[in-house]
Amino acid sequence: MPGWSCLVTGAEGFLGQKIISMLVQEKGLEELRVLDKAFKPETREELSKLQTKTKVTVLQGDILDAQCLKRACQGISVVIHTAAVIDVSGVIPRQTILDVNVKGTQNLLEACVQASVPAFIFTSSIDVAGPNSYKEIILDGHEEEHHESTWPDPYPSSKKMAEKAVLAANGCTLKNGGMLHTCALRPMYIYGERSSFLYNIIIGSLKNNSILQAIGKFSIVNPVYVDNVAWAHVLAARGLRDPKKSPSIQGQFYYISDDTPHQSYDDLNSTLSKEWGLHLPTWSLPLPLLYWLAFLLETVSFLLRPVYSYRPPFNRHLVTMSNSMFTFSYKKAQRDLGYEPRVSWEEAKQKTSEWIGTVVKQYKETLSSKTQ
């Protein structure tokens, strides 16, 4: 393929960094622009050390700044949009989530039109599909089944609106007279080294006598390793640039999973961390009781809102999402994108467990230095 250039948003993020490390190995990629609102010093150092012939340009800017996005998109061939606010527990204000996830995506689509960027790949979420009830059972679901979340919570509703905007933009006329082609990827729950969610569970466990946080005992899900999700984005970028493959990809969404065994979230966390002495509690509340307790806590939060800001430790959406039988096939991505997981379950398990080991070691060393 001829020389091309790419912009990745959310470049500081867990997934964004993996996509970047794979993209710089792609043939013909002349420039890679990486955009985020803020970069940690260690991330900037890692980016500067990338062994690549590709020019890597670090851009610090806000996804809500239309002028910043327009400048970032100038001369770009492909945009990979991973930037998002992820929050399923109600910590972040609703408007903040809607602004970043919906308005930010719309801003970026408009910037692509103005800068005549022909390809746009959106990182969506399995939350767009549901589950809507813990009683709902979807095993090996696929794209033709049209599953759609009905939750009013800001994260699933914002990702659903953003994905619809991206897919609706497919076929839009660009400023130079060309055409914008889009697609969306819906990863399952993503795990792996540097997962902030997994990190918080591990640190929380270490602070509470090594008992893992139990949130998903009753679920059957198919988590996906971060490298495999990143690989699917690279393949989507190749596909939208390939005149032979592009027509079948345009305007489509894809579930992205891998060969990680179907299991509960709790079993996954336990398997990844048991080598380091972390274990799950031996009991939990029955699921219906847990759901209605969440409803009660949400009601208390709502009633107290005029006088006191109370954030429940969990809500009905989190209970449902964490305790449903909800798995999806990657066959459509395999057919259209040529997607095959690059990393096996055994390798993913080993790499993630080794990273957890370093987190445990660093925590204990920090604790030890404080007590001396």
Side-chain angles (χ1 to χ4, degrees):
M1 294 183 187
W4 60 294
S5 55
C6 184
L7 168 68
V8 177
T9 71
E12 174 64 46
F14 172 45
L15 175 61
Q17 290 186 40
K18 285 288 187 179
I19 293 172
I20 289 164
S21 66
M22 288 187 185
L23 279 173
V24 295
Q25 308 301 322
E26 286 292 284
K27 292 181 180 179
L29 182 61
E30 295 173 351
E31 183 182 7
L32 177 60
R33 294 180 198 166
V34 298
L35 173 71
D36 212 307
K37 192 171 184 178
F39 287 93
K40 295 175 185 174
E42 53 266 36
T43 305
R44 287 183 178 273
E45 186 177 348
E46 285 178 15
L47 289 169
S48 69
K49 290 181 178 178
L50 285 173
Q51 298 295 315
T52 175
K53 295 178 181 178
T54 303
K55 177 185 177 184
V56 179
T57 306
V58 179
L59 302 173
Q60 188 164 322
D62 196 327
I63 200 75
L64 296 176
D65 184 342
Q67 290 304 312
C68 166
L69 296 183
K70 191 175 178 180
R71 290 192 297 271
C73 288
Q74 289 296 330
I76 289 294
S77 314
V78 179
V79 164
I80 298 179
H81 180 37
T82 77
V85 174
I86 302 172
D87 175 42
V88 293
S89 56
V91 179
I92 300 169
R94 181 183 187 88
Q95 196 56 51
T96 301
I97 297 172
L98 291 172
D99 282 347
V100 173
N101 293 358
V102 182
K103 190 177 179 182
T105 301
Q106 292 169 337
N107 286 348
L108 191 56
L109 286 167
E110 180 57 30
C112 286
V113 171
Q114 294 302 315
S116 298
V117 178
F120 189 106
I121 297 150
F122 176 64
T123 307
S124 188
S125 167
I126 187 59
D127 241 2
V128 168
N132 296 316
S133 166
Y134 63 80
K135 297 176 183 178
E136 178 183 14
I137 298 176
I138 305 296
L139 298 176
D140 284 324
H142 52 81
E143 290 79 355
E144 286 71 28
E145 291 173 343
H146 303 295
H147 300 289
E148 185 172 305
S149 171
T150 57
W151 287 100
D153 297 63
Y155 180 68
S157 56
S158 68
K159 292 299 283 187
K160 184 170 72 171
M161 286 187 280
E163 184 192 277
K164 285 185 175 179
V166 169
L167 298 183
N170 185 66
C172 282
T173 303
L174 302 174
K175 193 172 182 180
N176 67 357
M179 194 171 287
L180 176 63
H181 299 309
T182 69
C183 72
L185 306 183
R186 294 181 182 178
M188 308 299 108
Y189 164 69
I190 307 173
Y191 70 95
E193 314 92 272
R194 299 190 181 185
S195 162
S196 58
F197 186 74
L198 195 51
Y199 178 85
N200 290 335
I201 288 177
I202 300 305
I203 295 298
S205 302
L206 291 167
K207 288 179 178 178
N208 292 285
N209 301 317
S210 299
I211 297 177
L212 282 173
Q213 178 186 2
I215 58 165
K217 178 180 179 179
F218 305 101
S219 58
I220 297 294
V221 291
N222 53 335
V224 58
Y225 184 58
V226 63
D227 285 42
N228 292 328
V229 181
W231 178 234
H233 283 75
V234 173
L235 292 174
R238 286 184 187 175
L240 282 183
R241 293 180 53 248
D242 186 338
K244 293 179 181 178
K245 285 187 179 180
S246 186
S248 63
I249 301 170
Q250 296 165 17
Q252 299 293 309
F253 70 87
Y254 297 91
Y255 292 115
I256 306 299
S257 55
D258 59 16
D259 298 326
T260 299
H262 294 198
Q263 60 194 296
S264 72
Y265 287 115
D266 284 4
D267 285 346
L268 174 72
N269 292 337
S270 180
T271 297
L272 295 174
S273 53
K274 64 184 178 183
E275 184 180 341
W276 309 105
L278 306 179
H279 62 277
L280 287 164
T282 55
W283 67 277
S284 65
L285 291 172
L287 184 51
L289 184 58
L290 196 61
Y291 183 87
W292 287 109
L293 178 58
F295 174 69
L296 177 62
L297 293 173
E298 287 179 57
T299 303
V300 170
S301 176
F302 176 76
L303 293 174
L304 288 176
R305 195 172 298 165
V307 292
Y308 179 73
S309 178
Y310 166 65
R311 181 175 64 83
F314 54 90
N315 55 39
R316 285 172 294 167
H317 173 233
L318 182 58
V319 169
T320 301
M321 184 185 69
S322 303
N323 291 282
S324 295
M325 295 186 182
F326 207 62
T327 71
F328 286 83
S329 165
Y330 62 77
K331 284 184 179 177
K332 184 181 176 183
Q334 188 178 43
R335 182 193 71 204
D336 292 358
L337 305 177
Y339 169 74
E340 294 285 351
R342 290 182 85 180
V343 181
S344 69
W345 158 240
E346 288 301 322
E347 187 180 349
K349 181 170 60 173
Q350 180 185 346
K351 286 184 173 181
T352 308
S353 179
E354 287 174 356
W355 170 74
I356 289 172
T358 64
V359 172
V360 171
K361 183 180 178 182
Q362 288 170 3
Y363 176 83
K364 289 181 177 178
E365 285 176 352
T366 302
L367 201 65
S368 176
S369 65
K370 286 181 179 178
T371 55
Q372 288 176 359

